[in-house]
Amino acid sequence: MPDVWEGIVSVFRDYGYRRLRTRARLKFLVADWGPEKFRNVLETEYLKRPLIDGPAIAPPPTGRRDHIGVHPQKDGNFYIGAAPTVGRISGTTLDRIADIAEQAGGDRIRLTAQQKLVILDIPPAKVDESVEALESLGLEVAPSEFRRGTMACTGIEYCKLAIVETKARAADLVMQLEDRLPTFDQPLSLHVNGCPNSCARFQTADIGFKGSLMTNEAGETVEGFQIHLGGSLGPEVGFGRKLRALKVEADDMPDYVERVTGRYTEQRTDDESFAAWVARADEGDLR
């Protein structure tokens, strides 16, 4: 490992764009050369030997990966994943969650990168009462697609970098979409961010909202969001599609999501994801 580390650093020293402030990173050299050339230079000029190939890349996982629902553990117990609305939860509720875990005989609670909450080590006999207790706190174990897939950064309420409100906007968005589209059942990620810094990862969401200020028809400055569409991680990784001048006022977010998901529902093929549909959709259908 030390030899390989030294070789990689030496490649960057000798070939990297160190004099260009905006490109003084190894990733830019790898992007320009490609992995094959980079490996060849590393092996022939610096290591003087071939690298050992690792195991074949495993197939990507299938299905949901947000831990929502009731799932078996290897030890015979279960874990329960619940969805706080846009990740906001009070101290009082956290205290009650600890009680629920303790009463079920567990002592492990986790938070996920999707702003969800997981209680582990629940005995089979305690699963139903634990689910009921969580849902009595507003923590749904079988949430709607909108409640399940929406997350938001902390926004202007607590962040000095934020431009717009996020948590309250996103919570209102969830409630309105649940009321307007009660039968929508396709996985959909909605990420609401208060500034360009992307703490809520708007570029990799099905529908990403990047906070900005905009001028409405009356000439007033109002909160708004730039739209990014069809971003994803995994095998089909890529940033969302950004259409020219595609912005919505904050109050119009529910209308926009209802409109674009309606077109997706009408045009999608069997098992086609929202991101896959966005990649082929006409620009007019995304506005």
Side-chain angles (χ1 to χ4, degrees):
M1 287 178 62
D3 291 343
V4 176
W5 178 87
E6 181 184 7
I8 291 173
V9 172
S10 299
V11 173
F12 177 65
R13 177 198 63 200
D14 297 338
Y15 293 100
Y17 312 125
R18 296 188 294 122
R19 295 185 179 182
L20 302 175
R21 183 180 179 87
T22 59
R23 291 173 62 81
R25 296 291 183 274
L26 182 64
K27 65 180 180 180
F28 292 108
L29 182 64
V30 174
D32 288 349
W33 278 8
E36 293 80 11
K37 179 179 178 179
F38 188 92
R39 176 172 178 168
N40 180 262
V41 170
L42 176 64
E43 291 176 337
T44 58
E45 295 187 27
Y46 296 89
L47 296 179
K48 308 299 184 181
R49 61 178 173 81
L51 289 166
I52 301 171
D53 287 331
I57 298 175
T62 59
R64 307 272 195 164
R65 302 186 69 192
D66 60 7
H67 303 91
I68 293 296
V70 178
H71 303 276
Q73 298 177 183
K74 292 181 179 180
D75 61 2
N77 290 323
F78 289 80
Y79 70 85
I80 302 173
T85 303
V86 301
R88 174 152 285 182
I89 194 165
S90 70
T92 302
T93 301
L94 285 172
D95 190 59
R96 182 69 187 103
I97 292 167
D99 292 339
I100 293 171
E102 187 177 56
Q103 290 164 7
D107 61 0
R108 293 195 296 160
I109 299 172
R110 299 289 184 267
L111 305 177
T112 77
Q114 290 76 37
Q115 298 183 343
K116 305 300 185 287
L117 182 141
V118 182
I119 301 179
L120 298 95
D121 307 325
I122 306 296
K126 296 286 188 176
V127 168
D128 289 343
E129 67 181 71
S130 298
V131 168
E132 184 177 346
L134 286 169
E135 293 189 337
S136 71
L137 298 174
L139 302 173
E140 297 191 21
V141 177
S144 70
E145 292 299 336
F146 303 113
R147 193 172 299 265
R148 183 171 189 167
T150 302
M151 60 183 290
C153 75
T154 195
I156 201 169
E157 186 175 7
Y158 294 114
C159 178
K160 65 180 180 180
L161 300 178
I163 303 169
V164 301
E165 166 58 37
T166 55
K167 288 289 191 184
R169 295 282 188 189
D172 179 69
L173 176 66
V174 168
M175 289 187 289
Q176 290 208 42
L177 292 174
E178 286 178 338
D179 183 59
R180 298 184 189 192
L181 302 169
T183 61
F184 186 85
D185 60 358
Q186 298 301 311
L188 187 75
S189 56
L190 298 164
H191 294 187
V192 183
N193 210 82
C195 77
N197 285 311
S198 196
C199 294
R201 309 190 295 277
F202 60 84
Q203 301 104 323
T204 57
D206 287 319
I207 303 178
F209 295 94
K210 184 182 77 172
S212 65
L213 297 178
M214 56 187 296
T215 304
N216 63 14
E217 295 180 355
E220 303 166 329
T221 299
V222 298
E223 292 187 351
F225 292 90
Q226 183 184 60
I227 308 298
H228 293 243
L229 294 165
S232 62
L233 299 173
E236 305 299 327
V237 64
F239 281 168
R241 185 175 173 183
K242 185 171 65 173
L243 277 62
R244 184 177 178 82
L246 179 55
K247 292 185 177 182
V248 296
E249 294 182 29
D251 291 339
D252 295 333
M253 292 167 66
D255 293 338
Y256 175 77
V257 176
E258 181 180 17
R259 182 166 66 246
V260 76
T261 53
R263 292 167 181 162
Y264 162 63
T265 301
E266 293 171 359
Q267 299 176 15
R268 66 184 291 266
T269 59
D270 291 342
D271 299 323
E272 185 176 33
S273 68
F274 184 86
W277 172 75
V278 166
R280 67 172 180 83
D282 292 336
E283 182 173 323
D285 291 329
L286 301 178
R287 293 188 176 274

